[in-house]
Amino acid sequence: MSSLKFIRYGAWAAVAALAIGAGYVTVSQMQTGGGGAQVASVASIGGPFTLVRGDGTTVTDKDFAGKPLAIFFGFTFCPDVCPTTLSDLQGWIEQLGPDADKMSYAFVSVDPERDTPQVIGDYVAAFDPRITPLTGSREQIDEVIKAYRVYAKKVPLDGGGYTMDHSAMIYLMDGSNRFVGTIAYEEDQATALQKLKNLIARNGA
């Protein structure tokens, strides 16, 4: 596992402690739980965005309205975290059975210079067709990264080239695009699946 993995968690320690520690947390529950500055930060995760799907068509946050959304940020040149997370997500989708269609799923590139629509489309197609591959211009990606409070940084490699250091978790949003929690990288499989089930049940309540 790359040593960069451990840096990814630093910028998100506080959010992860709130969201993962509770197992499944809603914004309203956090608002009644105190911790003013942290609550404001968590509650502000998410927002409007305009991106480009793998087939080249434009997609916005409104295209995901009405269904819960599991959204993950990464890049196609990622050596371990991204393919592992997408493989896990594929497995959870399969285990959800018919309920899987009550949610939306998206993989957003933090490396739009290399991840063109075709590149990210072909990459995500190797997992599950229900996972929407998203990229865009540098400006569009920067906007969605800012909205979701994602950590992403270009890291030069010896001999040229670069990799991307980035947040390594799945963000869980409700049908109104409100942040409700996360699934951590390599989280217990049963716990992660239950979080998705809870999110689907909450949206149907």
Side-chain angles (χ1 to χ4, degrees):
M1 184 66 62
S2 169
S3 61
L4 290 175
K5 166 188 170 184
F6 299 98
I7 304 174
R8 295 183 180 104
Y9 299 107
W12 269 95
V15 172
L18 284 171
I20 298 169
Y24 180 79
V25 189
T26 66
V27 171
S28 61
Q29 287 171 331
M30 288 186 286
Q31 287 174 331
T32 58
Q38 286 183 321
V39 170
S41 176
V42 172
S44 65
I45 295 171
F49 59 79
T50 299
L51 295 169
V52 180
R53 204 188 306 262
D55 61 7
T57 59
T58 298
V59 62
T60 74
D61 56 293
K62 293 182 176 60
D63 291 297
F64 297 101
K67 285 185 177 182
L69 171 65
I71 184 169
F72 176 66
F73 295 80
F75 66 116
T76 64
F77 284 75
C78 184
D80 43 44
V81 173
C82 299
T84 298
T85 300
L86 287 169
S87 179
D88 286 343
L89 184 56
Q90 177 184 21
W92 300 327
I93 291 172
E94 292 172 355
Q95 291 179 69
L96 285 171
D99 282 345
D101 293 331
K102 297 177 182 179
M103 278 195 65
S104 297
Y105 315 87
F107 176 64
V108 182
S109 175
V110 297
D111 184 20
E113 287 81 9
R114 293 185 295 193
D115 289 343
T116 64
Q118 182 175 350
V119 167
I120 195 170
D122 290 344
Y123 181 80
V124 175
F127 298 94
D128 191 288
R130 285 166 287 191
I131 303 173
T132 302
L134 297 173
T135 186
S137 67
R138 180 73 263 174
E139 181 181 15
Q140 289 172 324
I141 295 301
D142 287 344
E143 287 178 355
V144 72
I145 285 174
K146 181 178 180 181
Y148 281 80
R149 306 298 190 267
V150 173
Y151 173 75
K153 181 180 180 181
K154 184 180 290 187
V155 180
L157 297 174
D158 294 339
Y162 67 91
T163 187
M164 297 295 297
D165 189 19
H166 62 91
S167 302
M169 62 185 69
I170 297 173
Y171 298 78
L172 303 178
M173 315 298 291
D174 69 11
S176 298
N177 198 30
R178 293 174 300 200
F179 174 77
V180 295
T182 64
I183 295 174
Y185 176 59
E186 292 190 326
E187 185 163 340
D188 176 77
Q189 294 286 311
T191 301
L193 180 61
Q194 189 60 51
K195 288 183 179 182
L196 296 179
K197 290 179 177 179
N198 290 347
L199 185 56
I200 291 169
R202 178 177 184 268
N203 196 65

